[in-house]
Structure formats: C-alpha cells, structure tokens
Amino acid sequence: MFGIVRPCSHRLGEGLKTQWMAHLCGLCLALRGDHGQFARVVTNYDGLLISVLTEAQAEKATGWRRTAGPCPLRGMRTASVAQGEGARLAAAVSLVLASAKVRDHVADGDGLLARRPVALAARRVAASWGRAGARTGSAVGFDTAVLVDAVDRQVGIEALAGPGTPLLTVTEPTETATAAAFAHTAVLAGRPGNAAPLAEAGRLFGRLAHLLDAVEDRETDAASGAWNPLSATGTSLIEARRLADDAVHGIRLALREAEFTDSRLAHVLLVHELGRSVDRAFGTSGCGHTAGGAHGPHAPHTLNEPRALDGPHGSLGSPGAGDLLGLPGSAVLLGPEGSFGPPPQHGGNPYTGGGNPFGGGPSFQPPTPGRRGFWAGCAAAIGLCCTCKMCCADEYEGPWSRKKREGCLNDCDCDCSCCEACQCCECCECCSCCDCGV
C-alpha cells in the first residue's frame, strides 16, 4: 500500500470511512477481476481518488455499488464495494504508474533489483502491467499513452536537471499524467464541464505527490547516493513547503469550480487530508488543532511539543507517549494508569511498597508471553494477514514480539482529542477550518 492520502479513521467518521473502504476494495477487486490476483499488489491509496471523483460527479443511480463476498483482508466479511468505470479507470492508472515505478527502480538498481535475474523478472512484470493498464484504459475510453509518455519524458528531464533547474520542470511529467486521469473522471461521469477544473486539480495533485515523495526520501537518497529532485536542483525545504502549500490551496480552488452530486468524501481527501499529508511529510503533526482552539490546514505542531504527552487516543498514559517524546518508554514519565510516577516493580504498589494496592503480600502477576521463534512468527503473521487483524483490528499481538499493536487502519496521526467534537469536515462551518461550507 502506497500513496500520500492516508486518512485517519477517527477524522473520517463512520459514514465516510465506509465509503472510503468501498472505493479501496473496489479498486482492489477491479484489479483482480480484469488482471488476476497478482495485480492486486498495485492497490494504492491515491489510485482510489479516481474512483471517488467519478462517483462524486455521477448522478445517483443503481450500479455504482455491489456486495462483495467474504475476503480474508476484511476478516472474511462481506462489504459493499465500488464498481463500474470509475474503479476500472483507477485500476488502469494504478497499473501503468506502478509499471513505471518498477522500471524506475530497476533503472536505479535499488535493493534486490540490482541483481540481474531479479531485474529481468521485474521488467517482465512491469511490461505486463503496462499492457494490462492500456487494455483497461482503452475499455473506458482513456488513452494511457499520455501516462507512458510522461514517464518516458521524466527520465530525460531528470538526466538534464541540475542546480538552478526549476523544481517545477522536474515535476511537470507527473503533473501532466495526473491531470489527464483526473479530467477523464468528468467524461465517465457525464460532466464534461468539470474536465478543466479537475485537470487543474490533478496537475497540482501530481506536483504535490512528486514533492512529498522527494521530501520523505531526501535523507535516504542522500545516504544511498540516489537521485533526488530537491538535492539535484538545489531546492530548499522552505521552498518545497511553499510549493506544497500552494498546491493544496490550488486544489481547493479548483474543486470549487467543479460540479458534484456529493462532494463530501472527495473534499475531505483532496483538501483536508492533503494538508495533513504535507504536515506529515515535513515533520509537523496532521491534526491542525491548536491548544487555543485555532484550526487550520497547516497549524504547526511538532512531535517535540508538550501536546505529544497525549497518546494516540488522547489520554495520558496511553501507549506510545514515550516514543513520541523520543524517550525510551512512556513509563519514564507516566505510571501504568496515566498517573505521574515510576512504574511498579515486581507487582508492588509504587506508593505503599507492598505487593498489592493495600501494602500486603505479593500480588498475582500473569505470565508474560515470550517471543515466538522465526517459523512460529511467520505462521502467526500469515494468520494475522488472512484474518485482517493487522489492518482492521483495534489491537493485535505482534507475530514475533507478542507485544500489543494497533491495526494499521486504526493508526492515527493526530491525538484525536478534537475528533469527537469536530468530526473533521462535518463541522467546517463551526470550526472555520475552510470556506468549503461542507
């Protein structure tokens, strides 16, 4: 799973989360239905935006949803999933761009792809995905040649780029590709008048995706000697942040020019969550609510601020507080129930010194499970994946360490103290987080 738009389930609310999951599952099943099981590995968070935009513009009618059968990735549960031309266009775009991404990694010799047999296999897979994406794109009236051309031009532009080259020259091919994909959603939805504003939104989204990828990979690329747009062009992080903020603002303005049947999910993902993606890439938190009540898409909160004492669910003493502060563990500052003080030793009470809360003998301590061996951990990991616990469970046991962990779809990049009151986009009028009126 890759992509820059990774919404927090607490901010989406139950209704929008269900819609988002319908599009995610719809993309995955469209890939499987047209191209086989292996194609599902290119399912990504950004690709589903194509499906979201198509449905957001379409007139409400039957045929946009179907009930999918039990799936191991949903814990063997059925679900209502998106279907139709929007999901197929999302699948075509995902396949072509994933093909380009694989070819790029092969050309750079990244990791295992530096080995000739692996690189040869990867090239064949990439070529297969490219052809499959072209077939599906043609079936929905979209010419994927514009995507392939953009990828081919990207290689030449990067080869010529150097200090002083405008960063937007490097991002142009990505902008062109995403603009074409976003614009075609208007054609599929029967709203040709939306093509121009959505092309602008897509162009800026492509710019943002390229920028954030460069920012997140900057240190890794420097260590490995890989090419990075920021380092190659001499662009500072300050300038990159300015361009990213301008892109988010431009997407918001472009979406206002388009006509939607139901824009709530598209707006949340392409305005609110994009702003949080920028914050996340540049090292600031994604919630955007200040202690004084101010609310904005780029309100800066760094992980070293006092608010990091709050755990992932907004309560003192919850797991991860010490990690957020850069300390060895939350127990350094917080007791077992959120009170300040050292943790009890060997079952003793930190204040009475006894083995139970009233100072008596030793209290009962449940046995601590030991680490699993390699093969036992592999078996446990397979079981966790097949039952969807790693994705959907509030809490699960690590396959090797046996430590308690949160499901990845329950991971939250805000302290959630504001989520119940604000529910993200559902309160824009009272929070004044934007002028969207949603």
Side-chain angles (χ1 to χ4, degrees), residues 19-40:
Q19 291 185 42
W20 184 80
M21 286 297 298
H23 288 284
L24 184 63
C25 291
L27 170 58
C28 181
L29 292 175
L31 287 165
R32 185 199 67 179
D34 288 343
H35 310 293
Q37 290 284 0
F38 184 66
R40 300 171 81 176

Side-chain angles (χ1 to χ4, degrees), residues 25-339:
C25 291
L27 170 58
C28 181
L29 292 175
L31 287 165
R32 185 199 67 179
D34 288 343
H35 310 293
Q37 290 284 0
F38 184 66
R40 300 171 81 176
V41 302
V42 307
T43 305
N44 65 94
Y45 294 130
D46 294 345
L48 68 86
L49 292 174
I50 302 295
S51 178
V52 170
L53 282 173
T54 304
E55 188 176 281
Q57 300 171 77
E59 296 295 335
K60 292 299 180 184
T62 58
W64 288 101
R65 289 282 192 276
R66 71 177 179 88
T67 300
C71 174
L73 298 180
R74 289 193 299 269
M76 299 307 295
R77 296 189 297 268
T78 60
S80 175
V81 302
Q83 67 170 353
E85 293 184 330
R88 297 189 72 192
L89 176 61
V93 172
S94 296
L95 281 166
V96 173
L97 295 183
S99 171
K101 194 177 186 70
V102 170
R103 291 202 306 270
D104 183 58
H105 284 305
V106 170
D108 292 341
D110 294 337
L112 290 175
L113 295 176
R115 299 179 180 181
R116 183 171 298 180
V118 179
L120 180 61
R123 287 193 188 96
R124 290 180 177 176
V125 169
S128 173
W129 284 347
R131 291 190 298 269
R135 289 195 304 271
T136 301
S138 177
V140 296
F142 180 66
D143 186 2
T144 58
V146 64
L147 306 183
V148 177
D149 176 69
V151 171
D152 292 340
R153 287 189 297 108
Q154 185 75 51
V155 176
I157 290 173
E158 290 181 359
L160 297 175
T165 301
L167 185 59
L168 297 187
T169 300
V170 180
T171 63
E172 180 274 324
T174 307
E175 296 177 19
T176 301
T178 50
F182 273 45
H184 197 68
T185 64
V187 177
L188 295 182
R191 292 185 182 267
N194 284 351
L198 289 183
E200 177 66 8
R203 184 179 67 83
L204 294 172
F205 181 83
R207 175 184 302 178
L208 195 59
H210 202 130
L211 281 173
L212 298 191
D213 184 64
V215 170
E216 291 176 343
D217 293 346
R218 188 165 172 260
E219 293 183 1
T220 305
D221 290 343
S224 63
W227 195 90
N228 184 281
L230 300 181
S231 303
T233 60
T235 304
S236 67
L237 286 177
I238 295 175
E239 174 64 10
R241 178 63 190 251
R242 183 188 69 80
L243 291 172
D245 288 343
D246 286 349
V248 172
H249 182 65
I251 290 171
R252 176 181 296 171
L253 296 178
L255 291 179
R256 289 181 183 176
E257 300 298 320
E259 295 182 3
F260 294 98
T261 303
D262 183 355
S263 66
R264 288 177 299 169
L265 181 59
H267 178 86
V268 168
L269 297 177
L270 286 170
V271 176
H272 295 270
E273 292 302 331
L274 270 185
R276 293 184 176 103
S277 297
V278 172
D279 288 330
R280 183 168 56 242
F282 283 89
T284 53
S285 77
C287 188
H289 289 71
T290 63
H295 181 85
H298 305 302
H301 287 308
T302 64
L303 294 180
N304 292 323
E305 291 183 3
R307 70 188 293 277
L309 278 170
D310 293 341
H313 297 290
S315 60
L316 289 175
S318 52
D323 295 336
L324 289 173
L325 290 171
L327 299 174
S330 57
V332 173
L333 294 179
L334 305 172
E337 303 298 334
S339 57

Side-chain angles (χ1 to χ4, degrees), residues 377-403:
C378 289
I382 292 172
L384 288 170
C385 289
C386 291
T387 57
C388 203
K389 285 190 175 181
M390 281 189 174
C391 294
C392 303
D394 291 332
E395 191 178 73
Y396 68 91
E397 189 180 78
W400 286 278
S401 67
R402 308 192 77 166
K403 294 180 179 178

